[in-house]
Amino acid sequence: MAAGKTERLMNLLIMLLVQRDNVSKERIREVLYPSSHGEAFEKMFERDKEELRSLGVPIETGVIDNFFEDEIGYRISPEQFALPPITLEADELAVVALATKVWENASMAEATTEAVRKLNAAGLETDVSALEIVQPRLAAEEGSFDVFVAATQDRQVVEFDYRGSRATEPSHRRLQPWGVVRYSGRWYAVGHDVDRDDTRIFRLSRVLGEARAVGEFDAFEVPAEVDVRDIARDLAPAPPTGKAVLLLRQGSGYSLRRAADSTEPGVTGPDGSDGWDRVVLTRVPADLVGAVLGHGPDAYVEEPEDLRREVATRLERLVARLDGATR
């Protein structure tokens, strides 16, 4: 399963991050890869280790016992892995703060809890405070997101049902995913459509039901010249254009104010309160829905109606996901 790969990498990251000392390869196998042995374990462990390193995770090697220098262990230094201090403007800080509250990936939270439980059950001393530096910071509300990301890494074909913007009925598709990219406020899977024998792009929010990674690992190669962002720009629908009218609470919404063509200060807010400004944008940002949501209760869409409806739809999805994650 796609989720298994994600969970395995997360478990390895957590195990090496919370250890105060180097951990032997055999101990890692016992705790995280109990059903793998010999060459199969060696290949899987090396692949996972290199994949984490390719993502910028500084996995260190060192001796476990100074008296037996031939036994090598592994760990991740929190000091090396943590980001340096970052200075944000007030509006940027507000967006990051909201994103931190909004994005709590249920699968990652479950994987973290299970990994720490396994380590404690194995009698390993852990420092869970180190996990604060690996909290996810990404908004992805589509249920198939993890499947496509994992299949991209594993080079597996993904099967799914899909309803295009003009289709009345869904169709069954098979894709060799080259990458997952965000464009114009939407997540897209880019790759080779097996049945159409052509490059295709699929909006993840239009995937129906459960997407499944099938077949062998390393089943295909991504063409060397491929840039999935360029493909997304070429094949995805053009970003929305037209005029948008927003209400912003005074003292907030700085990024939206910078994009505004005009501002009417001191208007009544959507709840009838004072202290709001009306801003008009004629050059609509690519992800205006995300920008509005990023300002929480301090931003409200007056027009157009379809923009207001999309904001409401995303909020309803978010509430449903968070509600499901807490049950």
Side-chain angles (χ1 to χ4, degrees):
M1 294 178 62
K5 172 67 173 297
T6 304
E7 182 176 346
R8 194 173 71 242
L9 289 175
M10 193 69 175
N11 285 345
L12 180 58
L13 171 65
I14 292 168
M15 181 176 189
L16 299 183
L17 185 60
V18 300
Q19 299 301 305
R20 292 187 172 90
D21 300 308
N22 294 319
V23 186
S24 70
K25 185 184 295 186
E26 178 58 24
R27 192 57 166 155
I28 293 172
R29 189 200 65 77
E30 291 174 354
V31 176
L32 300 184
Y33 306 81
S35 60
S36 295
H37 303 275
E39 186 178 352
F41 162 68
E42 292 288 341
K43 287 183 177 180
M44 186 178 295
F45 176 63
E46 288 302 315
R47 180 170 180 167
D48 289 350
K49 182 157 56 73
E50 291 310 310
E51 189 156 333
L52 287 178
R53 281 175 170 159
S54 73
L55 295 172
V57 178
I59 298 178
E60 301 176 350
T61 58
V63 296
I64 295 176
D65 191 325
N66 290 329
F67 294 102
F68 301 94
E69 296 186 358
D70 58 336
E71 187 175 8
I72 300 298
Y74 304 87
R75 72 184 292 265
I76 298 170
S77 168
E79 292 78 15
Q80 296 294 323
F81 189 43
L83 288 172
I86 300 174
T87 302
L88 299 174
E89 300 296 330
D91 58 329
E92 295 170 329
L93 184 60
V95 173
V96 172
L98 180 67
T100 303
K101 297 176 184 177
V102 167
W103 175 235
E104 293 182 358
N105 186 312
S107 64
M108 289 298 99
E110 183 179 347
T112 302
T113 302
E114 179 65 12
V116 173
R117 186 195 65 76
K118 288 179 180 178
L119 297 178
N120 290 335
L124 298 176
E125 185 179 2
T126 60
D127 178 14
V128 295
S129 65
L131 297 178
E132 294 178 1
I133 62 177
V134 293
Q135 295 179 29
R137 296 290 189 270
L138 181 64
E141 57 203 28
E142 291 81 359
S144 59
F145 179 85
D146 288 345
V147 176
F148 280 95
V149 169
T152 298
Q153 298 168 344
D154 293 336
R155 301 290 187 260
Q156 278 186 288
V157 172
V158 179
E159 291 188 352
F160 56 99
D161 292 327
Y162 187 80
R163 178 182 286 133
S165 59
R166 296 184 178 87
T168 57
E169 295 293 332
S171 60
H172 188 71
R173 313 302 287 264
R174 293 185 299 159
L175 183 73
Q176 296 176 348
W178 296 341
V180 177
V181 62
R182 191 168 178 84
Y183 175 73
S184 190
R186 300 284 188 270
W187 285 105
Y188 293 92
V190 179
H192 179 76
D193 189 312
V194 176
D195 300 305
R196 273 69 172 178
D197 192 24
D198 198 4
T199 301
R200 288 288 192 272
I201 182 170
F202 295 93
R203 183 169 142 183
L204 296 191
S205 62
R206 293 195 177 122
V207 173
L208 304 179
E210 181 181 355
R212 298 183 304 113
V214 298
E216 299 291 330
F217 289 86
D218 298 318
F220 58 89
E221 292 292 332
V222 179
E225 72 279 3
V226 159
D227 186 323
V228 293
R229 294 188 180 276
D230 285 344
I231 295 174
R233 281 191 289 268
D234 291 340
L235 300 183
T241 59
K243 184 178 78 169
V245 181
L246 311 176
L247 294 180
L248 300 176
R249 198 186 302 274
Q250 292 177 349
S252 67
Y254 298 103
S255 61
L256 292 170
R257 293 175 187 274
R258 286 196 293 267
D261 296 277
S262 63
T263 301
E264 180 185 352
V267 302
T268 302
D271 58 354
S273 63
D274 296 328
W276 292 74
D277 299 331
R278 177 177 287 110
V279 300
V280 177
L281 296 82
T282 57
R283 297 180 298 278
V284 178
D287 186 16
L288 183 55
V289 173
V292 171
L293 289 172
H295 289 87
D298 297 327
Y300 176 82
V301 178
E302 280 197 322
E303 58 178 85
E305 174 63 26
D306 60 343
L307 177 62
R308 182 164 64 246
R309 192 163 49 243
E310 178 66 17
V311 170
T313 299
R314 281 220 220 167
L315 282 173
E316 289 167 359
R317 280 192 206 143
L318 176 61
V319 170
R321 283 175 63 86
L322 292 177
D323 183 56
T326 55
R327 289 183 179 177

